Amino acid sequence: MTAKTYELRTFGCQMNVHDSERMAGLLEEAGYVRAPEGAAGDAAPADLVVFNTCAVRENADNRLYGNLGQLAPKKAARPGMQIAVGGCLAQKDRETIVKKAPWVDVVFGTHNVGKLPVLLERARVQEEAQVEIAESLEAFPSTLPTRRESAYAAWVSVSVGCNNTCTFCIVPQLRGKEKDRRPGDILAEVEALVAEGVTEITLLGQNVNAYGSDIGDRGAFGKLLRACGRIEGLERVRFTSPHPRDFTDDVIEAMAETPTVMPQLHMPLQSGSSRVLKAMRRSYRQERFLGIIEKVRAAMPHAAISTDIIVGFPGETEEDFEETLHVVREARFAQAFTFQYSKRPGTPAAEMDGQIPKKTVQERYERLVELQEGISWEENRKQVGRTLELLVAEGEGRKDDATRRLSGRAPDNRLVHFARPRQPVRPGDMVTVEVTYAAPHHLLAERPPSAVRRTRAGDAWEARQAAPASGEAQGTGVMLGLPTVGAPEPLPADAGGGCSVC
């Protein structure tokens, strides 16, 4: 009997990417196999297509229904095919999805990912759509099986949910209040991943450095960073995304004093205007933000700092926008992920007075991008002449084949393209290079590496390539570094901004 195939389409943040790995693990444990790339666009799509949705952008629902509409005739022509919709938009819209797209078989929310195989079977047997949205977390995602996308790096979730009340963000309504994992459970997962060959982990949370508030230990995140640093075989630790409100001196000290914690920080600014920050309910002001940046730079001079910025928040004046430009000049971000504000139904900001005309928002957005592009290039040029050890990456250099180069990530997460060495090198291995050229969003090492270090992660990648595709259900490797210090993926001009994991 031929196994059923599945395709997962993931939209949104790192948390959704992590959830999709769990969905894939659950499906493969239930006997499904991943469909070949592009199957849903062929005459014979996958037996199951799962949409893991995001509710952050204003046009998220239009995008979903457009995709569902394209699949309707293919499903009608293929008896037994199923379609499932999960994630934040499913949590928000619930029965609306089935009303608008009655050919959908399963709708499930952010809190009951583990029910996906059961709901699919129930829909098949009962021959009617199954809509099940849990109001609170049923099982912590990391307790579920997983199919990771990389052999050498992995997400490790430390918490789910968010206790903040930012006026532009709907995520707390959809993900719920913050719930922390026990430190021992987190470290046990990291140790298990390292035993499988993983050498880089990224600690993940909606507000990652608030970790500990749910378990009654405000210093828990700094302790967790130090504890990860003591795990033998783990070479790189990253985390995303912190909130300035909870960014304490002990976290900075833990970063600086723990060699395996990488000198990289993604710290969402959102606005440089203290007046706008108050309207956003961001609970910090310009001086506090710049003070954190100054302390981080003092402790880790080579740290690369990136951020998120929203342009055109309701009521933003030209003076407010100039304050944002001031912070960008002072902070000298390696990269800024910039967004034009767009209304998100269900958020307080959507009902605020002072909505900014599109033309004004576009003009400010272009000025901000131009300023940041120049700073990114200047900061990258400072890297020329430095010797860096790179973690060789898979699939991050789109032109690698044409240029006969490979790509890797520096400790600060900058993307570096380097000349191929004479000896074989695999994703997950480490190479030592000298930076010879800088572009705004990447670096070049035009001479071959001076050293190549084969690693257990490279061994794991090699073993994975030799394994049959149907046997990749668990423990098989995730490309990390999101948000990257390199060029962000193109975004529509009216994309919404917010917490970087939202």
Side-chain angles (χ1 to χ4, degrees):
M1 180 177 172
T2 304
K4 291 183 178 181
T5 58
Y6 76 91
E7 182 193 0
L8 262 164
R9 302 189 189 183
T10 305
F11 304 94
C13 66
Q14 299 97 310
M15 195 68 77
N16 271 19
V17 173
H18 188 48
D19 284 348
S20 286
E21 292 181 340
R22 303 299 176 187
M23 294 176 198
L26 285 160
L27 292 172
E28 294 192 7
E29 189 177 67
Y32 290 81
V33 297
R34 178 174 287 189
E37 289 292 325
D42 299 334
D47 296 300
L48 167 65
V49 179
V50 182
F51 292 90
N52 188 7
T53 63
C54 172
V56 166
R57 296 184 188 171
E58 188 176 26
N59 63 351
D61 53 349
N62 293 333
R63 187 176 186 183
L64 171 65
Y65 295 120
N67 277 281
L68 291 175
Q70 291 174 6
L71 283 181
K74 296 178 181 179
K75 184 184 178 189
R78 181 167 182 165
M81 180 182 172
Q82 290 186 301
I83 300 172
V85 179
C88 290
L89 194 60
Q91 187 80 22
K92 182 172 78 75
D93 285 358
R94 307 182 183 221
E95 283 84 0
T96 304
I97 293 172
V98 175
K99 289 178 181 177
K100 290 187 175 182
W103 55 92
V104 169
D105 298 277
V106 170
V107 178
F108 63 106
T110 59
H111 298 310
N112 59 334
V113 169
K115 288 286 188 67
L116 176 57
V118 172
L119 294 172
L120 288 167
E121 181 62 13
R122 192 185 300 165
R124 185 188 67 81
V125 172
Q126 298 182 7
E127 297 184 343
E128 64 179 13
Q130 301 296 308
V131 178
E132 188 168 310
I133 306 292
E135 297 301 330
S136 60
L137 193 66
E138 293 185 347
F140 205 92
S142 293
T143 64
L144 302 173
T146 183
R147 184 205 189 276
R148 292 180 289 112
E149 295 299 324
S150 162
Y152 53 84
W155 305 108
V156 175
S157 184
V158 305
S159 63
V160 293
C162 180
N163 292 339
N164 293 322
T165 58
C166 301
T167 55
F168 55 79
C169 188
I170 198 171
V171 169
Q173 299 176 39
L174 306 178
R175 292 276 180 178
K177 292 293 186 181
E178 182 179 326
K179 184 174 179 60
D180 295 337
R181 294 176 72 190
R182 307 302 298 182
D185 293 340
I186 297 170
L187 295 173
E189 182 180 356
V190 174
E191 289 170 348
L193 290 166
V194 171
E196 294 173 2
V198 168
T199 55
E200 175 176 310
I201 61 109
T202 296
L203 303 175
L204 181 63
Q206 222 76 47
N207 180 9
V208 68
N209 61 318
Y211 175 74
S213 60
D214 181 52
I215 58 177
D217 183 358
R218 299 297 296 178
F221 190 65
K223 295 174 185 176
L224 183 61
L225 291 177
R226 295 179 189 275
C228 287
R230 293 191 289 270
I231 296 176
E232 187 175 354
L234 182 60
E235 299 196 28
R236 294 186 170 191
V237 178
R238 305 187 190 277
F239 59 90
T240 195
S241 285
H243 191 293
R245 182 195 66 188
D246 302 299
F247 208 82
T248 55
D249 290 349
D250 71 294
V251 172
I252 298 173
E253 291 168 5
M255 292 177 67
E257 296 170 6
T258 308
T260 54
V261 176
M262 295 293 96
Q264 174 216 349
L265 176 65
H266 184 79
M267 179 73 78
L269 168 65
Q270 309 302 6
S271 173
S273 163
S274 293
R275 191 188 69 81
V276 173
L277 288 170
K278 182 178 180 181
M280 290 178 168
R281 293 187 197 152
R282 288 293 288 175
S283 70
Y284 58 89
R285 301 296 176 258
Q286 180 189 113
E287 295 76 13
R288 161 73 172 155
F289 187 92
L290 288 174
I292 293 171
I293 300 301
E294 183 178 358
K295 289 180 179 179
V296 170
R297 289 254 161 77
M300 294 168 286
H302 289 299
I305 302 173
S306 55
T307 196
D308 297 329
I309 300 173
I310 300 172
V311 177
F313 187 80
E316 180 189 74
T317 64
E318 178 63 23
E319 290 73 20
D320 292 322
F321 179 66
E322 287 292 340
E323 289 293 300
T324 295
L325 298 182
H326 168 72
V327 174
V328 169
R329 294 187 188 100
E330 290 292 310
R332 299 197 63 79
F333 299 114
Q335 187 69 45
F337 293 79
T338 51
F339 305 90
Q340 295 188 32
Y341 173 77
S342 62
K343 290 183 180 181
R344 299 172 191 172
T347 63
E351 306 301 323
M352 286 182 176
D353 294 332
Q355 301 289 328
I356 310 298
K358 171 67 176 176
K359 182 179 179 180
T360 302
V361 177
Q362 181 67 33
E363 186 270 337
R364 290 176 184 172
Y365 175 81
E366 291 172 0
R367 285 160 57 196
L368 174 60
V369 169
E370 182 180 9
L371 173 62
Q372 181 56 52
E373 286 280 298
I375 292 173
S376 295
W377 200 355
E378 290 173 9
E379 291 302 305
N380 272 2
R381 285 198 290 266
K382 294 177 183 178
Q383 307 300 310
V384 174
R386 290 189 65 194
T387 298
L388 304 172
E389 186 173 49
L390 311 180
L391 173 63
V392 180
E394 181 177 26
E396 296 207 50
R398 290 188 291 268
K399 298 180 181 178
D400 281 353
D401 289 339
T403 58
R404 294 192 56 76
R405 295 184 179 122
L406 296 174
S407 299
R409 290 284 174 180
D412 65 8
N413 210 34
R414 282 182 165 90
L415 180 63
V416 184
H417 306 301
F418 62 94
R420 293 176 184 264
R422 292 187 180 89
Q423 62 268 56
V425 62
R426 309 158 300 179
D429 286 340
M430 308 292 284
V431 297
T432 302
V433 303
E434 181 184 350
V435 177
T436 57
Y437 176 82
H441 302 298
H442 68 268
L443 304 172
L444 286 182
E446 296 165 295
R447 292 184 287 273
S450 59
V452 174
R453 177 161 62 88
R454 292 174 70 86
T455 66
R456 294 181 306 103
D459 294 342
W461 179 88
E462 194 167 46
R464 181 178 178 185
Q465 303 312 299
S470 60
E472 295 180 344
Q474 275 186 267
T476 48
V478 65
M479 287 174 60
L480 297 183
L482 291 175
T484 64
V485 175
E489 290 297 317
L491 290 166
D494 64 347
C499 302
S500 62
V501 290
C502 304

